[in-house]
């Protein structure tokens, strides 16, 4: 089925470990996003990529890096995980800024 | 700067009765406004969007929302709630200057009683 695919769905990390969250979309959308969702705070934008080869910081970029590998894939990396990064992470894609498709999320726990 | 306030963190309704989810916004520009729904352990799904056309916007699953500039509101309604409407709902604003930086409300959890 067409859509946004995120891996992994669940992850537990120890403080200081690194990991990469993967995201791929097959809708040929130009723009891709990474959000984090925390209780009572809605979704907050971490990074976005308006088109292949470009990335920009969102509202809460500290502690994260991203790579727009090609038009389909947009990965999020935590270089040194901290407990404050415990959250649910969503990848999304769009054509004109209207967020059309979301992945099902990655639940990350940092202990 | 733009922001969204969802006035109710939790709404409980009986099946078959109307649903009202309230949203107020602030924006420096002519805003675009959206409602998204999130079912448990799922990603967000777009319900409807307002982008400066008709002020009454119809969405999927019988939902609609009315843009009222004078009240800076974009409330979401449905005439008759169904059990499948139990979910979390997010009001979202884009101020138009940068479509990539959307502001999300904190969310409203809807419970539907049988």
């Amino acid at each position: 089925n067409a859509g946004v695919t995120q891996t992994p769905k669940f992850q537990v990390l120890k403080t200081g470990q690194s990991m990469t969250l993967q995201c791929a979309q097959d809708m040929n959308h130009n723009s891709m996003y990474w959000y984090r969702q925390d209780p009572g705070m809605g979704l907050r934008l971490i990074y976005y990529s308006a088109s292949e080869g470009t990335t920009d910081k969102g509202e809460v970029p500290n502690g994260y890096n991203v790579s727009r590998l090609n038009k389909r894939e947009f990965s999020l990396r935590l270089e040194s995980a901290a407990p404050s990064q415990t959250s649910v992470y969503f990848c999304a894609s769009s054509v004109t800024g209207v967020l059309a498709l979301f992945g099902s999320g990655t639940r990350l726990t940092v202990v | 700067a733009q922001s969204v306030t969802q006035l109710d963190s939790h709404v409980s309704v009986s099946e078959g009765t109307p649903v009202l989810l309230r949203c107020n916004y602030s924006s420096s520009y002519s805003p675009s406004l959206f409602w998204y729904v999130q079912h448990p352990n799922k990603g967000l799904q777009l319900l409807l969007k307002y982008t400066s056309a008709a002020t009454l916007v119809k969405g999927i699953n019988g939902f609609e929302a009315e843009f009222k500039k004078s009240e800076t509101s974009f409330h979401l309604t449905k005439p008759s709630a169904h059990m499948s409407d139990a979910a979390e709902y997010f009001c979202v604003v884009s101020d138009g200057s940068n479509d990539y930086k959307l502001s999300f409300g904190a969310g409203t959890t809807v419970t539907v009683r049988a």
Side-chain angles (χ1 to χ4, degrees):
Chain A
N1 291 334
V4 177
T5 303
Q6 285 182 240
T7 55
K9 294 188 182 303
F10 301 93
Q11 184 72 49
V12 178
L13 290 178
K14 293 182 179 179
T15 297
Q17 287 185 316
S18 62
M19 78 161 295
T20 300
L21 282 63
Q22 306 287 352
C23 176
Q25 54 95 5
D26 55 10
M27 295 296 291
N28 204 36
H29 286 167
N30 290 326
S31 305
M32 298 185 73
Y33 312 76
W34 276 104
Y35 285 87
R36 60 178 289 172
Q37 182 178 28
D38 302 291
M41 300 185 74
L43 273 70
R44 294 180 293 169
L45 181 64
I46 305 171
Y47 270 93
Y48 66 96
S49 170
S51 61
E52 185 178 354
T54 67
T55 61
D56 284 285
K57 294 178 180 179
E59 182 183 354
V60 288
N62 291 343
Y64 305 95
N65 286 300
V66 290
S67 295
R68 184 72 183 269
L69 304 171
N70 47 55
K71 193 170 186 178
R72 288 188 65 246
E73 298 172 287
F74 187 40
S75 62
L76 178 71
R77 183 162 178 83
L78 286 70
E79 291 290 352
S80 179
S84 61
Q85 294 178 304
T86 293
S87 188
V88 182
Y89 292 85
F90 287 99
C91 179
S93 70
S94 76
V95 173
T96 59
V98 178
L99 296 172
L101 290 174
F102 279 81
S104 57
T106 297
R107 293 183 179 277
L108 175 67
T109 302
V110 183
V111 299
Chain B
Q2 60 196 32
S3 66
V4 171
T5 302
Q6 290 183 241
L7 299 172
D8 307 290
S9 60
H10 186 256
V11 168
S12 180
V13 298
S14 297
E15 190 175 21
T17 64
V19 181
L20 169 65
L21 305 183
R22 299 181 295 166
C23 172
N24 285 355
Y25 71 91
S26 67
S27 174
S28 303
Y29 301 86
S30 296
S32 296
L33 292 153
F34 314 86
W35 277 99
Y36 287 85
V37 60
Q38 183 180 28
H39 289 92
N41 301 314
K42 301 289 186 183
L44 278 72
Q45 179 185 17
L46 179 65
L47 274 179
L48 50 79
K49 61 183 178 182
Y50 166 78
T51 55
S52 75
T55 56
L56 183 62
V57 182
K58 294 188 183 297
I60 62 172
N61 301 335
F63 284 95
E64 64 180 33
E66 185 171 9
F67 173 71
K68 292 187 176 181
K69 186 175 181 179
S70 61
E71 299 177 10
T72 61
S73 68
F74 190 58
H75 301 336
L76 181 71
T77 61
K78 182 173 181 177
S80 177
H82 190 271
M83 296 299 288
S84 61
D85 295 327
E88 190 162 19
Y89 293 79
F90 293 96
C91 183
V92 181
V93 64
S94 166
D95 69 7
S97 66
N98 186 337
D99 284 342
Y100 305 105
K101 292 189 176 182
L102 305 177
S103 293
F104 282 73
T108 299
T109 300
V110 172
T111 302
V112 182
R113 304 184 301 272

